[in-house]
Amino acid sequence: MALREIIILPDKRLRLVSEPVAAVDAEIRRLVEDMFETMYDAPGVGLAAIQVAVPKRIITADIAKKDEPKRPQVFINPEILWTSEDRASYEEGCLSIPDYYEEVERPAAVKVRYTDLAGETREVEANGMLATVLQHEIDHLNGVLFIDHLSRLKRDRVIKKFAKAAKREEKD
Ligand code: NI
């Protein structure tokens, strides 16, 4: 296993649409292991492969609380089949937009079809935090960030702040 570098806003690769995984082979399994190591190290509750600069449709997640045993979950080629009309609001953050949190309203429940690490097709109906994490991470696979769900004013302010920080780093 290896830690991978998480790419940060305004890295343009965060806007890529990720490619479907053709087969769950050794390379994909290694990538998934690295994603878990990187996600737990950060720490975060969800990670999309593009956040470690790999444009493949893979998500790792673990929504277990700190005092609970780990509950790693992998979703390969996830597809939203259904979303509830009920909506729920959660404070979201993103490992690619460090130290920024905002309330985002999304459907409260979703049904997702995905492939597991054994290559089997599965379906999950999620609500609560997992529903939010799945939608947030599936957005990543389509080049969408949680700040895209905020008002233009808030979004522009964050983008500007991170663009400035990136420029400062270039100079140093
Ligand atoms: Ni994110």
Side-chain angles (χ1 to χ4, degrees):
M1 297 219 290
L3 272 183
R4 302 213 187 185
E5 193 186 333
I6 295 175
I7 61 176
I8 305 289
L9 192 72
D11 195 309
K12 286 192 175 69
R13 290 170 291 182
L14 290 169
R15 294 306 189 176
L16 290 174
V17 175
S18 295
E19 295 287 329
V21 172
V24 183
D25 54 16
E27 187 197 330
I28 295 295
R29 283 193 292 270
R30 194 157 42 224
L31 169 62
V32 167
E33 277 183 18
D34 289 355
M35 285 174 64
F36 274 119
E37 191 177 341
T38 305
M39 184 183 86
Y40 286 126
D41 178 74
V45 293
L47 189 72
I50 189 58
Q51 293 181 273
V52 292
V54 181
K56 290 194 160 112
R57 303 187 79 82
I58 304 173
I59 290 167
T60 55
D62 190 334
I63 58 157
K65 297 201 179 76
K66 265 186 201 142
D67 50 351
E68 291 173 351
K70 280 185 180 165
R71 215 162 49 225
Q73 290 182 282
V74 190
F75 304 91
I76 298 168
N77 299 334
E79 233 183 295
I80 293 179
L81 301 176
W82 170 85
T83 58
S84 65
E85 274 176 32
D86 281 14
R87 295 172 73 84
S89 181
Y90 276 94
E91 190 177 68
E92 295 189 26
C94 182
L95 295 176
S96 295
I97 312 173
D99 304 319
Y100 182 75
Y101 303 91
E102 243 340 303
E103 291 277 325
V104 178
E105 195 191 279
R106 302 180 184 267
V110 288
K111 192 171 177 182
V112 171
R113 181 189 290 146
Y114 65 98
T115 300
D116 69 12
L117 261 191
E120 302 287 335
T121 303
R122 294 182 177 274
E123 280 179 17
V124 62
E125 213 173 307
N127 52 37
M129 193 168 172
L130 185 59
T132 290
V133 170
L134 280 168
Q135 292 174 82
H136 176 121
E137 302 306 333
I138 290 171
D139 270 356
H140 272 300
L141 306 182
N142 297 320
V144 174
L145 300 170
F146 85 93
I147 55 172
D148 298 340
H149 296 284
L150 306 178
S151 70
R152 172 175 291 258
L153 185 74
K154 279 185 181 166
R155 181 173 63 244
D156 287 351
R157 204 183 285 154
V158 184
I159 291 173
K160 217 186 236 169
K161 188 178 141 202
F162 277 83
K164 252 189 206 162
K167 244 189 212 144
R168 260 202 310 273
E169 215 161 90
E170 253 171 45
K171 269 190 215 150
D172 291 346

